[in-house]
Amino acid sequence: MTHTARRIGRSLALVLPVVLVLSGTLAVTMVPWADTSSSQLVTASAEGVSTPAKPRAAHEVLRTQLVGELQQGQEPDDVLTHLQQEVNRRPSLAEHCVGIARALGRAAVEAYGPTKAQSFARPVCDTSYATGVASMG
C-alpha cells in the first residue's frame, strides 16, 4: 500500500506544477479585459510598447493653432495678423512662415471658397498665403 501511495505522490509532484502553471496562464488570458477575439498568446515583450511622443516643434504648434482659428470662423485677415505677430516675436519661426501661410491659404479656401479667400491676401511671408489659395482654387 505504501508503494502505491508513494507512486501517486511522485506523479503528483511532477504533474501538479505543470498543471498549475498552465492553468495560471489560461486564467490570465481569459480575464474579462483580455482580447478573446484574437488567437495570439499574451506574451511579455517590449514589442508594441508606446514611447513618449516627441514634443512638437513650435512652427507645427503655431500652424495647428492658426488653421484652427480659421476653422473656428476667425477672418483670414486676423489669422494672418497673428502669424505676422508671432514671426516678429519669435524670429526663428521666419523660416517656416511660408509653409504656414500656404496652409492658411488652403484652409481659407476650404472655409470661404477661392474667391473670398483670395480677397484676404496680403504680403505676409511674401505671397505664400496667395500661393496656398491658388493651389486649392
Side-chain angles (χ1 to χ4, degrees):
M1 188 102 155
T2 59
H3 181 45
T4 306
R6 231 184 245 163
R7 192 177 201 180
I8 292 172
R10 283 185 191 159
S11 297
L12 283 176
L14 292 173
V15 174
L16 191 59
V18 173
V19 170
L20 290 174
V21 168
L22 289 175
S23 66
T25 302
L26 291 175
V28 169
T29 60
M30 299 308 255
V31 291
W33 45 263
D35 182 14
T36 57
S37 64
S38 77
S39 61
Q40 296 178 340
L41 292 176
V42 176
T43 58
S45 72
E47 198 173 311
V49 173
S50 64
T51 56
K54 290 182 182 179
R56 291 180 52 203
H59 68 279
E60 293 171 348
V61 172
L62 180 60
R63 177 184 297 128
T64 302
Q65 175 190 344
L66 294 176
V67 168
E69 288 178 11
L70 265 176
Q71 292 170 340
Q72 292 175 358
Q74 283 196 17
E75 294 284 319
D77 197 38
D78 296 333
V79 177
L80 288 170
T81 298
H82 292 157
L83 173 60
Q84 191 64 57
Q85 290 169 343
E86 285 299 312
V87 170
N88 291 342
R89 190 172 68 85
R90 296 181 1 207
S92 63
L93 292 172
E95 67 183 278
H96 303 286
C97 188
V98 169
I100 295 170
R102 282 188 186 141
L104 293 175
R106 290 189 294 267
V109 168
E110 291 176 10
Y112 296 97
T115 304
K116 185 165 182 180
Q118 186 62 41
S119 70
F120 294 103
R122 60 178 205 202
V124 175
C125 309
D126 297 323
T127 58
S128 301
Y129 173 84
T131 303
V133 170
S135 72
M136 294 292 289

